Structures are given as structure tokens and as C-alpha cells.
Amino acid sequence: MPDQTGEIMTLREWLQDGAFSLSLSSGFFGFFAHGGFLSVLEEERLVPERVTGCSAGALASLLWAGGMSAEEMLGFFTEVKKSDFWDPALGLGLLRGQKFRNLITEHSRVPNLEDSPIPVAVSALNLLTRQIEVFDSGPVAGPVYASCAIPPLFQPIRMAGSWFCDGAFGDRPGLQGIPDGQRVLYHHLNSRKERKNSRAPVSGDHVERLASLAMVRISDLPAVSPDRLEQGPQAFATARDGFRVALDWPADLLLD
């Protein structure tokens, strides 16, 4: 995309050119990679006017928009052990999820979503209506856990008379919480299937109502899982280094 002088803008210049919102995708235990991505925004002093997310992106969005720095996030994620969120119980999922909700409440810098210094919204799937719902108010633990509650690992949660689970089933990019007409920076985490494809699955329905969307996805991120949490710091570093490089790419290569 050229600027007013006809020169091609870099992604950095595009972000500096006006207000933008940030969306962080789902991705199994991908909050380490999101943290590395967010650390570069801090370095560049690029502050979005709104942050949205789904699943791992919902957790990273809450913590960062609520006031936790990327380095603090890395410290928190690195200190978490499997036993800190592992609470098997009978139900529609292996884990009850209460330990996870306790972690969210304990480490969030804000008690309610609407208290976040940067407005934040998270997406979760309503199992009764089969529709995505966006939460931007209320106590943090329920909506963020719901957005992360991927079956069959985590049990769904009951809120407001319905049952909710992982928002990735209908809003993997986490973009439904973005108002119409926004300029959006989107960090996409590849699923296992997408690692073999050249394009990320951001449908026209997600982007047509936006002014523009710049999508960044970092290749070769280490796979992090409950049994491979030690891979987290490397995922953080890989995403950080990859986004630093992407900021100097021509913006028109990243825009939809």
C-alpha cells in the first residue's frame, strides 16, 4: 500500500499511520507465541485501541490488555505446571476447569472485562444456539475459560442459562469482537492442518466488514501442549523474532 508520496508502506508504517485494533487467534496453548508477538508491539510503542481474541488468544488478550506486560506473561506462563490446571472430573470433558478458572482470576490484573485499560472482547460458542457470542463485560474467569474450553480436554461452562465452549468452532480468528470499519492487525496461529497450506483460513465474512486487515503468521513455531510446556519460551522467542522481521515487510503483502 503506497503512502501519500507514492512510496510503499511497511507494516510498521501502516500501523503508525492510524488507529488499529488487534485480534489474536485460537491455537492450542498458543498463548506463548501471542506473548512474543505482543512484546514487539511494546518495543515499537504500538498500542491498539481494542484487543479481541479466541481461545489461547482470549487468554493472552485479557492479560495483556488488562495491564500485564509481555515479559510478565512469559514469566507467568513459564511458571505454570500441568498440575496447576489439571483437575480431571466426570463430565463432557476430561478436565473440570475450575483450576484453570482460578488461575485466570488470580493472575488477571482486572476483575471484570470492562475494567481493562485497553477494551477487550473474547469469543465463545453457545452450545444451545450454536452461535458465537462476544463477551466484553462481566467477571473475567467465565468468558475467558469458555473461549479456551476445547473439547474433549475441558468441560463446557454454564453461563447466563446456556452452555459455552471454545470459540474456535465459529470464530477462530477472534474477529467477531471487532466493530465494523476498523483497521485490524491479526496474529494467526497455524493449526496442524494449516502448516501444509500457503493461506490462512480467514473468510470473507470475517474481513468484508472491516476497513482493512493485516495478517501476520510466524512459521515454524514450536508445538506447545500440556505435556510440552517447556517449549513455551522458544515459541515466545520465535514469534517475537518473526514479527520483528514482518514489521519491515511491504504492508500490501499482508493486507486483505
Side-chain angles (χ1 to χ4, degrees):
M1 175 179 291
D3 61 18
Q4 294 180 349
T5 67
E7 296 293 325
I8 298 298
M9 300 174 68
T10 65
L11 176 60
R12 178 186 288 106
E13 291 167 337
W14 183 83
L15 291 169
Q16 294 171 340
D17 193 48
F20 69 94
S21 292
L22 172 68
S23 187
L24 305 177
S25 82
S26 69
F28 191 55
F29 280 73
F31 32 77
F32 283 98
H34 284 318
F37 186 90
L38 292 166
S39 72
V40 180
L41 290 180
E42 293 177 358
E43 292 172 0
E44 298 286 333
R45 298 184 180 181
L46 294 167
V47 182
E49 61 180 6
R50 184 177 180 86
V51 184
T52 67
C54 180
S55 198
L59 178 59
S61 294
L62 166 72
L63 297 178
W64 191 71
M68 184 181 287
S69 72
E71 285 296 329
E72 289 173 326
M73 288 170 58
L74 176 61
F76 163 48
F77 295 148
T78 303
E79 291 172 1
V80 170
K81 303 181 295 295
K82 184 177 178 180
S83 59
D84 292 332
F85 59 86
W86 206 257
D87 54 357
L90 292 176
L92 297 177
L94 176 62
L95 304 180
R96 181 177 176 225
Q98 186 59 56
K99 280 190 171 183
F100 189 12
R101 292 192 290 276
N102 290 345
L103 280 175
I104 295 170
T105 300
E106 179 182 353
H107 291 279
S108 173
R109 299 288 171 85
V110 293
N112 302 298
L113 291 169
E114 68 269 24
D115 298 325
S116 178
I118 302 174
V120 62
V122 301
S123 299
L125 177 68
N126 185 322
L127 288 171
L128 297 185
T129 66
R130 299 184 181 181
Q131 298 294 317
I132 288 292
E133 293 191 21
V134 174
F135 295 88
D136 59 7
S137 63
V140 297
V144 174
Y145 169 80
S147 188
C148 295
I150 181 172
L153 183 60
F154 289 107
Q155 297 175 11
I157 182 173
R158 186 174 177 82
M159 298 187 300
S162 194
W163 291 91
F164 291 85
C165 74
D166 194 339
F169 290 105
D171 184 25
R172 188 164 187 272
L175 287 168
Q176 287 202 24
I178 301 285
D180 293 354
Q182 297 273 304
R183 300 166 75 244
V184 180
L185 173 65
Y186 168 50
H187 186 214
H188 178 80
L189 299 178
N190 284 344
S191 68
R192 292 178 182 176
K193 292 181 180 179
E194 291 162 5
R195 288 170 191 156
K196 299 180 180 179
N197 298 332
S198 61
R199 294 182 60 83
V202 183
S203 71
D205 291 342
H206 283 124
V207 299
E208 286 177 355
R209 61 186 182 79
L210 304 176
S212 54
L213 180 143
M215 180 182 65
V216 176
R217 58 174 177 169
I218 312 302
S219 302
D220 301 321
L221 288 171
V224 185
S225 70
D227 294 313
R228 300 182 71 181
L229 291 171
E230 72 280 359
Q231 294 276 77
Q234 185 57 47
F236 182 101
T238 301
R240 178 197 63 207
D241 296 344
F243 187 30
R244 284 172 176 167
V245 172
L247 284 174
D248 292 318
W249 291 350
D252 57 349
L253 295 179
L254 302 166
L255 291 171
D256 285 322

